[in-house]
Amino acid sequence: MSIQDHVPLQLEEGEQRVQIIRGRVSPTISDLALIVLFSPTLMLVIWLSLHRLFRPVAYILTTQRVLVMEPQNVVGEIAIKDIQRIRTLRKAMMIQSPSSRLWLSRLPDAWQFEATLEKIRQL
């Protein structure tokens, strides 16, 4: 998967891409329930569920916002000026704003992504 596999990202005026990291979205509870319910009977469901379990995403850091983008659309975003709290582990990161939160998982180096984000916040 590359960024070319995604729909074009519409940047706002004066906004520039700073960093793009490819990752995978962790399974949801509904994904796990499908596997548990159908795994004994339908082998096809297992393969389809496993394919969906870790869907490819791109975590995009721009000069104005942080975005989570699946191949078809943007599934989450937070403006950098609205960030209130950041919690970072080695390979995961949670970004909170007053109205929402983003969970970035399976990052190669979440601490490096946070360092870049902090530099942009200081500008």
Side-chain angles (χ1 to χ4, degrees):
M1 177 193 79
S2 68
I3 195 64
Q4 288 81 20
D5 297 336
H6 290 77
V7 294
L9 176 63
Q10 297 296 319
L11 297 176
E12 296 176 12
E13 189 173 328
E15 184 177 27
Q16 296 177 3
R17 283 184 283 180
V18 176
Q19 186 173 13
I20 299 171
I21 297 178
R22 291 180 286 165
R24 294 277 185 184
V25 174
S26 298
T28 63
I29 292 176
S30 62
D31 291 332
L32 294 174
L34 280 174
I35 290 175
V36 170
L37 289 174
F38 296 110
S39 66
T41 57
L42 299 172
M43 210 49 167
L44 179 60
V45 173
I46 293 173
W47 290 113
L48 292 175
S49 297
L50 286 175
H51 177 72
R52 179 169 157 59
L53 268 182
F54 297 102
R55 342 184 259 288
V57 295
Y59 302 118
I60 302 172
L61 178 59
T62 71
T63 53
Q64 296 178 10
R65 55 193 171 152
V66 178
L67 299 111
V68 178
M69 189 171 188
E70 287 185 345
Q72 288 77 28
N73 61 354
V74 174
V75 293
E77 71 178 85
I78 290 182
I80 291 179
K81 63 181 171 132
D82 295 339
I83 294 174
Q84 289 185 330
R85 184 174 181 197
I86 300 173
R87 294 188 60 177
T88 306
L89 302 172
R90 189 178 73 184
K91 295 203 177 268
M93 183 178 199
M94 184 174 61
I95 303 171
Q96 291 179 321
S97 74
S99 60
S100 64
R101 67 176 71 168
L102 283 182
W103 179 254
L104 287 64
S105 61
R106 299 191 175 230
L107 293 167
D109 186 358
W111 291 317
Q112 188 270 335
F113 192 83
E114 179 187 20
T116 306
L117 177 58
E118 287 300 327
K119 287 179 185 176
I120 292 171
R121 287 179 73 187
Q122 292 173 0
L123 295 177

